[in-house]
Amino acid sequence: MPFEIARRRSQDGLRQAEAAGGRDRAQLRQAEANVSKDNAQLKNATDIAARYDSLQKQGVVSREQSDQTRTNAETLRESIHADTAGVESARASVEND
């Protein structure tokens, strides 16, 4: 009887560890996807900022509009830094499983 209880506890612990590992791998994939998404958005925002800068120099759009597009690009750049930290954290969790 004591061996049966110990075996069940061991099996429960193994299932919990496997579930935690699966959850950590899923979080890593999500964090990596966030970095990819933000990189694509940054490229687009940078392109838009360059166009608005050119239009602002031509007097077609206001300086405020041009500044806003640059700010959007900078915000995305910083989001990538945060997302990259999330990837590193998730990767550490996977490696510790």
Side-chain angles (χ1 to χ4, degrees), residues 4-7 9 11 14 20-21 23 38 44-46 55-56 58 60 74 76 81 86-88 90 92 94:
E4 180 66 24
I5 293 171
R7 185 176 65 79
R9 285 184 182 162
Q11 288 174 340
L14 178 61
R23 182 188 65 243
D38 284 349
N44 185 51
T46 301
L55 292 171
Q56 189 267 323
Q58 296 172 30
V60 176
E74 287 300 318
L76 284 165
H81 292 300
V87 168
E88 291 168 5
V94 167

Side-chain angles (χ1 to χ4, degrees), residues 31-90:
E32 290 169 338
N34 286 342
V35 170
S36 294
K37 173 190 61 109
D38 284 349
N39 273 317
Q41 289 178 334
L42 174 60
K43 182 186 179 323
N44 185 51
T46 301
D47 291 347
I48 290 170
R51 283 193 297 272
Y52 269 72
D53 186 50
S54 175
L55 292 171
Q56 189 267 323
K57 288 177 183 175
Q58 296 172 30
V60 176
V61 298
S62 69
R63 180 178 177 92
E64 181 180 358
Q65 289 172 305
S66 181
D67 289 348
Q68 182 61 50
T69 60
R70 272 195 309 280
T71 299
N72 290 344
E74 287 300 318
T75 300
L76 284 165
R77 189 170 285 114
E78 294 306 316
S79 290
I80 291 169
H81 292 300
D83 289 344
T84 300
V87 168
E88 291 168 5
S89 176

Side-chain angles (χ1 to χ4, degrees), residues 5-36:
I5 293 171
R7 185 176 65 79
R8 285 184 185 168
R9 285 184 182 162
S10 177
Q11 288 174 340
D12 288 345
L14 178 61
R15 279 197 239 24
Q16 288 174 355
E18 288 171 344
R23 182 188 65 243
D24 289 343
R25 286 187 298 278
Q27 287 175 338
L28 175 58
R29 287 190 301 272
Q30 180 64 49
E32 290 169 338
N34 286 342
V35 170
S36 294

